[in-house]
Amino acid sequence: MSKLKKPQSRFSSAKVAGLLYLVIAIIGGLSIEYIPEELVVYDNAALSFQNLKEHWNLFQLAIAGDIAVLLFETFLTVLLYQLFKSSHQTSMLIASYSRLAMAIIMGMNLINYLIPALLILEPELGSAFNSAQLESLNLIFLKAHKFGEFAWQIFFAIHLFCLGYVIHRSPDTPKFLGSVMLIGGIAYAGDSILHLLIIPAGLLQQSFSLLLILAVISEFWFAFWLLIKGYTIQEPVKAQP
């Protein structure tokens, strides 16, 4: 005969993963969304350059936030794989490699922030350019950073889609949550590809933007579900004779 037991280590790992998810969401919301929106005016090179100089500490915070996010992403990727690999190992391998690829691209994308930072900290590096040229150069790298975000979001879309599939098919997780994550993965992929191809905003892009709301909801739902309920798979263990 066999008995069923709930491994406590898995339950604890689920709570750590949920906490990391929330920390990444908060820090990423600040460094990826809020701070750039406050500093960068994508149709005004002069104002963007002036904002970076006047609010240098805020720009530094954005860089620090990006670094923190990519480090936390590495730990979260390992935890999610350990938690869900028994449900569908192939899908979780794809999800894990995709999320690690995302973190690598995030790290490379930091270069597009470091060049504007160098232009501000070491003005002599831009001495060959006049003011207008320097401001335009600064904005080019800020825009490149934004396109870098769309590049890593494609890999996040693959991760979210595969993770959503695993959650949907697992008997221990909410199936509807998995379905919403699947839709969220499609939304991230579609939105990112449209931006990278520089396709003008239209009905399709607006549709993907609306679906991204579902993606955000699913991520917070997943984080709180891990924190509150954990993830405890019933695993058969042979009874002692």
Side-chain angles (χ1 to χ4, degrees):
M1 294 187 64
S2 64
K3 295 181 179 179
L4 294 173
K5 73 174 184 179
K6 296 181 179 180
Q8 293 301 313
S9 60
R10 184 182 295 273
F11 184 76
S12 300
S13 296
K15 288 187 175 294
V16 173
L19 181 61
L20 280 175
Y21 232 112
L22 287 179
V23 170
I24 289 171
I26 294 170
I27 296 177
L30 289 172
S31 67
I32 298 171
E33 296 294 334
Y34 176 74
I35 295 177
E37 288 296 321
E38 290 293 309
L39 297 180
V40 183
V41 184
Y42 291 104
D43 58 355
N44 193 323
L47 183 56
S48 296
F49 193 55
Q50 188 66 28
N51 284 343
L52 259 60
K53 289 193 294 184
E54 291 182 355
H55 305 283
W56 168 246
N57 289 337
L58 193 60
F59 187 48
Q60 277 185 310
L61 188 60
I63 296 174
D66 279 3
I67 294 172
V69 166
L70 68 90
L71 290 175
F72 289 143
E73 286 286 358
T74 305
F75 293 108
L76 179 59
T77 299
V78 175
L79 287 175
L80 291 177
Y81 176 75
Q82 291 296 326
L83 285 169
F84 294 100
K85 66 179 180 180
S86 59
S87 296
H88 199 285
Q89 188 171 21
T90 300
S91 294
M92 284 310 300
L93 277 173
I94 297 173
S96 299
Y97 283 128
S98 298
R99 193 152 192 154
L100 286 175
M102 177 194 77
I104 291 171
I105 295 174
M106 289 179 72
M108 295 173 63
N109 198 32
L110 279 173
I111 295 173
N112 289 317
Y113 265 177
L114 293 178
I115 291 175
L118 285 173
L119 292 175
I120 293 171
L121 291 175
E122 301 180 33
E124 65 276 7
L125 293 176
S127 58
F129 305 98
N130 60 39
S131 297
Q133 291 172 334
L134 195 61
E135 292 161 357
S136 295
L137 182 64
N138 176 74
L139 187 59
I140 286 172
F141 281 102
L142 293 175
K143 285 188 174 184
H145 185 273
K146 190 64 181 178
F147 277 103
E149 290 177 11
F150 294 125
W152 62 251
Q153 280 180 11
I154 291 178
F155 288 94
F156 180 70
I158 298 171
H159 165 84
L160 194 62
F161 187 89
C162 291
L163 183 59
Y165 170 74
V166 172
I167 290 174
H168 179 77
R169 73 188 301 274
S170 174
D172 304 282
T173 53
K175 290 187 178 296
F176 185 67
L177 170 59
S179 300
V180 176
M181 293 177 79
L182 283 167
I183 296 172
I186 295 171
Y188 268 112
D191 183 70
S192 298
I193 290 171
L194 289 178
H195 277 97
L196 288 172
L197 293 176
I198 318 180
I199 296 176
L203 182 61
L204 184 59
Q205 193 172 74
Q206 291 173 6
S207 300
F208 283 131
S209 297
L210 289 174
L211 289 177
L212 283 174
I213 298 174
L214 285 179
V216 174
I217 292 173
S218 71
E219 290 180 77
F220 276 100
W221 181 5
F222 181 54
F224 281 111
W225 180 78
L226 287 172
L227 271 172
I228 296 170
K229 290 196 172 183
Y231 183 57
T232 52
I233 297 177
Q234 296 279 4
E235 295 183 346
V237 178
K238 290 183 179 180
Q240 294 294 328

